[in-house]
Amino acid sequence: MASLACGGMRVARSLAPLVDLVFPPRCPLCGDAIGAQTGLCAACWSGLVIPGQPACISCGRPFGEAMPEGASCAPCLASPPRHDGIAAATLYNETSRKLVLALKHGNRIALAPFMADLIVPHLASTDRNWLIVPVPLHRWRLWRRGYNQAAELARHVAMRCQTRLAVDALVRRRATPSLGGLGKKARKRTLSGAIIVNPRWGSALKGADIVLVDDVLTSGATSDSCVSVLKKTGAKTVVVACFARVLDELVNGA
């Protein structure tokens, strides 16, 4: 699989000059001319907020001030997470929101490689024998949209880590409404039993180190549901990887 992916990348690089001639590179957000088909212009790049250190040892939430090494944030202390860390490429703001919407609802699948490139450096290690698993879409939503944006990101994360992709390891067997505006208990009730492990992947998940990939991490209810079923099946570790992470203190302007 890795050799096929590398071969495909070599072909893409060889065709890049012709593609640039026919379709001059433009920033996918503002339309300004840029040097390559991937990436953003300098102005849009500056709009992305990349999480850094110091950060919570459990979930990677950046601290606003200096904290002792190995400290946990208040939410993790109050409710220890099921996951084994969060690898977020950016913090959710207007710029990352536009990219997510373009990928998710704008059919801009070509953004997935660029967004995956930003996710991978936040994984603690890229040379582990990861199993990459996307958050699933219900089949009716997948049919309407034509693709699962999380699966597109997962595919490119797997190629960059040169590891296995289990695109259908999780199944959303019941369509669920938007979780926006629901409390923690209501979210959990809505998702109860909605996401299950695909039986044909059961044995491969046992003892596996998994990267669970999604485009946006909001309340964490969906990822928690996925992490729960993966660990019940026997997964050793589950790291949640996303392009944009919503922090309430940023959204609320605190």
Side-chain angles (χ1 to χ4, degrees):
M1 183 181 291
S3 61
L4 287 175
C6 291
M9 292 174 70
R10 285 195 294 269
V11 171
R13 283 195 294 268
S14 68
L15 293 176
L18 178 60
V19 173
D20 289 350
L21 179 64
V22 179
F23 303 103
R26 297 282 179 181
C27 174
L29 291 185
C30 69
D32 283 356
I34 54 176
Q37 294 289 349
T38 58
L40 307 174
C41 68
C44 290
W45 260 113
S46 66
L48 292 175
V49 179
I50 310 298
Q53 298 294 327
C56 171
I57 192 172
S58 300
C59 77
R61 176 187 292 268
F63 292 125
E65 56 189 32
M67 293 289 286
E69 186 176 349
S72 292
C73 65
C76 286
L77 288 172
S79 179
R82 293 189 179 99
H83 60 67
D84 297 284
I86 295 175
T90 69
L91 300 183
Y92 190 84
N93 65 0
E94 185 60 24
T95 303
S96 59
R97 173 180 172 273
K98 288 178 180 177
L99 284 167
V100 167
L101 290 178
L103 173 66
K104 191 171 187 174
H105 299 299
N107 295 317
R108 302 288 294 277
I109 300 176
L111 287 171
F114 161 70
M115 295 165 79
D117 282 339
L118 295 185
I119 292 173
V120 169
H122 292 270
L123 294 172
S125 172
T126 57
D127 58 1
R128 289 170 67 178
N129 188 27
W130 292 111
L131 182 62
I132 312 298
V133 176
V135 170
L137 276 184
H138 186 263
R139 62 182 181 276
W140 290 118
R141 187 168 293 176
L142 180 61
W143 179 78
R144 287 194 299 269
R145 188 175 299 166
Y147 60 94
N148 177 0
Q149 72 281 355
E152 292 298 319
L153 290 173
R155 181 163 62 89
H156 290 283
V157 169
M159 283 195 292
R160 281 147 182 75
C161 294
Q162 296 187 358
T163 191
R164 299 171 297 162
L165 171 66
V167 72
D168 59 343
L170 294 175
V171 177
R172 193 182 290 255
R173 63 178 178 179
R174 189 179 74 247
T176 53
S178 171
L179 302 179
L182 297 179
K184 185 175 180 179
K185 289 184 179 179
R187 291 189 184 108
K188 186 175 181 179
R189 186 167 56 248
T190 300
L191 287 166
S192 178
I195 297 173
I196 61 171
V197 166
N198 186 334
R200 76 183 190 87
W201 280 100
S203 59
L205 297 177
K206 290 176 181 172
D209 293 313
I210 293 172
V211 176
L212 177 71
V213 179
D214 205 357
D215 55 344
V216 180
L217 181 68
T218 49
S219 68
T222 301
S223 62
D224 281 353
S225 181
C226 293
V227 171
S228 179
V229 298
L230 287 168
K231 290 210 165 183
K232 283 180 180 177
T233 304
K236 180 182 176 183
T237 59
V238 183
V239 172
V240 179
C242 63
F243 175 71
R245 179 181 182 180
V246 176
L247 295 182
D248 291 341
E249 57 266 36
L250 294 182
V251 173
N252 297 330

